[in-house]
């Protein structure tokens, strides 16, 4: 009784301990240089500094007329239009007192000009393409020096670090790199993961149903999860509960030189553990009981020199295990400095009972008076994938907590 319980609790690894143990076997992948267009969602392997300032030259922020601010006043003023400066051209003129030049957004400001009056504030309203500039332009407005001008160097200084190593590149980052003329980018190689499911009960998604069998759903959840974390997947398929079948798939993983092997199922008590047998013939494997729910059983080992992570088979346990143990591995491998999963504080709409293990509960969030409120999406059985599909967060109930009263603040991992 008491003894047994205590011994079990003592043998149990905390989530943090288990994650640290796994992470200690991984380091960042090698880097490669790839074309800018292929860089979305890739992780930058070196700081990017701008070789020059941006904007590159003083330019107009509006379609209008480049002017000398000192020529303007609140009463009627007419300036002689001495030039026409479309975007992309070099203005070869200098504005003298009383002069203006028609200018397009982004076009370089001529010498002598220090402001732009927007076309809509003047008597020249014809903005059709191909219309030639007027001989004079009139307006009634006092313009300050610098108005509607984007000065050279206003955004970025030469030598300034604009994107840091470890950042996952977003579409707008690619745009900035293009502004800086960076055609090829040094990024971390994408981690490659060999993925297999195991179990004689598993059918392919398009196979006819058979008595006692279920469809292999984990390989879809996990393959997509790996990709969402920036990895490439080698889908090995389903290992039957035989030594030969498991060994065959593992050998494929080794030949394909992946970063690690990920499997689901076959790690719980009573599972036919051919996985263990195969790994131990050419490596080593530990079974851990982690103080968490769902997903207590977890396997970690090496097959030859390849790390192996064995997640539990139940669909929600496999998903949660991925988020808690495997996503961090992929983030470390791919050099990401920030996790792609955000954690926020929310309030539970209801009382939640827990068994004292660190629990990950499926919940949907909604906002009430500026506060995020969480409601559980259904029963929390580890096979109930629908309640995970309906959730947009996992509430994290810390180890040791048995009851969260309604209205209490809890941490939520946003999915
Ligand atoms: P096991 O860890 O092998 O005892 O499996 C635990 C539970 O997960 C069993 O109900 C299995 O049928 C189920 N399961 C195992 N693998 C998968 C899979 N790839 N897709 C869906 N369910 C699975
Ligand atoms: Mg099984």
């Amino acid at each position: 009784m008491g003894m047994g319980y205590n011994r079990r609790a003592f043998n149990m690894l905390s989530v943090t301990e288990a994650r640290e143990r796994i992470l200690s076997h991984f380091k960042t992948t090698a880097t490669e240089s790839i074309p800018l267009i292929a860089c979305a969602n890739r992780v930058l392997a070196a700081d990017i500094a701008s070789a020059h300032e941006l904007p590159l030259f003083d330019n107009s922020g509006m379609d209008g007329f480049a002017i000398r601010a000192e020529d303007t006043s609140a009463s009627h003023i007419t300036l002689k239009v001495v030039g026409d400066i479309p975007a992309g051209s070099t203005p070869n003129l200098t504005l003298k007192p009383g002069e203006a030049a028609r200018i397009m957004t982004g076009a370089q400001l001529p010498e002598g000009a220090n402001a732009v009056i927007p076309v809509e504030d003047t008597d020249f309203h014809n903005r059709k393409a191909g219309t030639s500039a007027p001989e004079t332009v009139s307006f009634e407005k006092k313009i300050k020096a610098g108005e509607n001008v984007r000065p050279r160097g206003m955004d970025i200084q030469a030598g300034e670090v604009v994107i840091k190593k470890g950042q996952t590149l977003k579409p707008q980052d690619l745009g900035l790199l293009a502004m800086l003329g960076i055609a090829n980018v040094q990024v971390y190689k994408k981690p490659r993961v060999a993925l297999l499911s195991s179990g004689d009960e598993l059918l392919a998604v398009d196979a006819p149903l058979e008595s006692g069998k279920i469809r292999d759903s984990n390989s879809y959840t996990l393959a997509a999860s790996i990709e969402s974390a920036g990895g490439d997947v080698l889908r090995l398929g389903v290992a039957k509960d035989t030594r030969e079948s498991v060994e065959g798939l593992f050998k494929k993983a080794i030949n394909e030189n992946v970063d690690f092997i990920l499997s689901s199922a076959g790690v719980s008590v009573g599972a036919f553990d051919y996985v263990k047998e195969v790994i131990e013939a050419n490596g080593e494997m530990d079974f851990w009981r982690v103080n968490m729910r769902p997903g207590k059983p977890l396997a970690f080992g090496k097959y030859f020199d390849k790390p192996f992570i064995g997640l539990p088979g139940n669909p929600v346990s496999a998903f949660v295990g991925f988020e808690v143990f495997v996503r961090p591995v992929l983030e470390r491998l791919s050099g990401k400095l920030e996790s792609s999963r955000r954690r926020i504080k929310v309030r539970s709409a209801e009382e939640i009972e827990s068994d004292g293990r660190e629990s990950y509960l499926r919940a949907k969030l909604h906002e009430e008076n500026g506060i995020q409120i969480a409601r559980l999406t259904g029963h929390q059985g580890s096979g109930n994938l629908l309640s995970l599909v309906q959730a947009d967060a996992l509430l994290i109930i810390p180890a040791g907590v048995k009851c969260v009263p309604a209205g209490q603040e809890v941490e939520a991992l946003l999915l």
Side-chain angles (χ1 to χ4, degrees):
M1 26 155 275
M3 265 300 286
Y5 176 79
N6 282 333
R7 172 170 290 165
R8 230 176 292 138
F10 181 74
N11 285 336
M12 200 115 66
L13 285 178
S14 74
V15 170
T16 307
E17 266 177 305
R19 184 167 42 226
E20 291 303 318
R21 281 200 195 177
I22 293 174
L23 280 172
S24 70
H25 293 270
F26 293 93
K27 57 181 192 325
T28 309
T29 59
T31 71
E32 60 183 343
S33 176
I34 63 169
L36 179 56
I37 194 63
C39 284
N41 298 317
R42 298 296 298 267
V43 183
L44 198 57
D47 288 355
I48 298 284
S50 178
H52 50 68
E53 51 190 359
L54 270 184
L56 289 158
F57 44 84
D58 293 352
N59 70 92
S60 176
M62 304 284 272
D63 288 343
F65 292 85
I67 54 171
R68 298 155 27 95
E70 51 277 30
D71 283 349
T72 70
S73 71
S75 57
H76 193 80
I77 169 141
T78 298
L79 300 174
K80 187 177 173 209
V81 178
V82 297
D84 195 15
I85 311 166
S89 69
T90 308
N92 46 5
L93 57 102
T94 302
L95 285 194
K96 294 194 283 295
E99 291 182 346
R102 186 168 72 158
I103 194 163
M104 296 300 155
T105 303
Q108 186 167 358
L109 224 62
E111 285 293 318
N114 60 8
V116 170
I117 178 142
V119 69
E120 52 268 39
D121 292 344
T122 71
D123 66 339
F124 182 69
H125 292 303
N126 195 340
R127 281 189 264 169
K128 280 213 200 81
T131 317
S132 49
E135 304 223 318
T136 62
V137 62
S138 301
F139 51 90
E140 290 178 11
K141 199 168 191 194
K142 176 109 186 92
I143 301 281
K144 290 199 257 350
E147 231 172 287
N148 302 313
V149 173
R150 305 187 287 211
R152 165 180 170 180
M154 145 193 233
D155 301 338
I156 294 171
Q157 299 303 303
E160 184 176 340
V161 171
V162 289
I163 310 181
K164 292 219 155 142
K165 169 180 171 171
Q167 170 134 350
T168 307
L169 294 170
K170 306 181 292 292
Q172 57 270 40
D173 298 333
L174 270 54
L176 184 59
L177 295 176
M179 279 186 181
L180 301 179
I182 297 169
N184 292 288
V185 186
Q186 202 69 25
V187 295
Y188 292 106
K189 287 192 167 167
K190 282 182 108 176
R192 295 190 72 225
V193 185
L195 177 66
L196 68 147
S197 296
S198 67
D200 280 342
E201 74 276 32
L202 300 178
L203 294 174
V205 66
D206 54 356
L209 284 174
E210 290 172 38
S211 161
K213 311 235 161 167
I214 60 166
R215 297 189 178 104
D216 164 27
S217 59
N218 288 350
S219 72
Y220 290 88
T221 311
L222 293 173
S225 294
I226 291 165
E227 279 168 2
S228 81
D232 276 336
V233 187
L234 173 68
R235 294 190 72 196
L236 294 175
V238 177
K240 293 276 170 203
D241 288 328
T242 67
R243 197 196 154 101
E244 295 68 38
S245 177
V246 171
E247 193 157 36
L249 295 190
F250 273 62
K251 286 211 167 117
K252 253 199 211 167
I254 295 292
N255 291 336
E256 293 277 341
N257 197 27
V258 294
D259 290 291
F260 65 98
I261 303 168
L262 181 65
S263 82
S264 64
V267 295
S268 54
V269 181
F272 288 102
D273 49 8
Y274 293 101
V275 172
K276 178 178 160 75
E277 210 181 298
V278 169
I279 290 183
E280 288 190 337
N282 286 295
E284 53 192 313
M285 180 147 100
D286 264 344
F287 283 94
W288 299 337
R289 285 176 312 115
V290 184
N291 190 28
M292 71 185 284
R293 189 180 66 148
K296 178 167 73 172
L298 184 70
F300 182 76
K302 292 246 169 111
Y303 180 61
F304 292 94
D305 62 339
K306 285 293 165 220
F308 163 84
I309 303 173
L311 296 172
N314 276 307
V316 180
S317 311
F319 178 88
V320 171
F322 180 91
E323 289 302 324
V324 171
F325 301 111
V326 186
R327 186 177 290 276
V329 166
L330 287 166
E331 284 170 350
R332 170 161 298 181
L333 281 167
S334 62
K336 267 183 205 177
L337 287 187
E338 257 176 47
S339 173
S340 47
R341 289 286 188 229
R342 269 196 330 126
R343 289 171 182 231
I344 63 166
K345 295 278 187 213
V346 301
R347 272 178 212 287
S348 176
E350 60 209 287
E351 180 178 291
I352 298 173
E353 284 184 7
S354 178
D355 65 356
R357 285 186 277 168
E358 181 168 315
S359 298
Y360 292 79
L361 305 178
R362 289 144 258 171
K364 180 129 187 92
L365 304 180
H366 68 277
E367 201 192 284
E368 266 174 40
N369 306 321
I371 295 168
Q372 291 293 326
I373 309 286
R375 198 170 278 287
L376 300 184
T377 49
H379 88 78
Q380 301 284 315
S382 55
N384 182 13
L385 197 57
L386 179 61
S387 61
L388 179 60
V389 165
Q390 291 167 339
D392 49 24
L394 293 173
L395 302 186
I396 307 173
I397 313 300
V401 173
K402 296 244 162 133
C403 178
V404 175
Q408 182 159 313
E409 204 173 69
V410 286
E411 194 173 37
L413 181 83
L414 300 183
L415 296 178

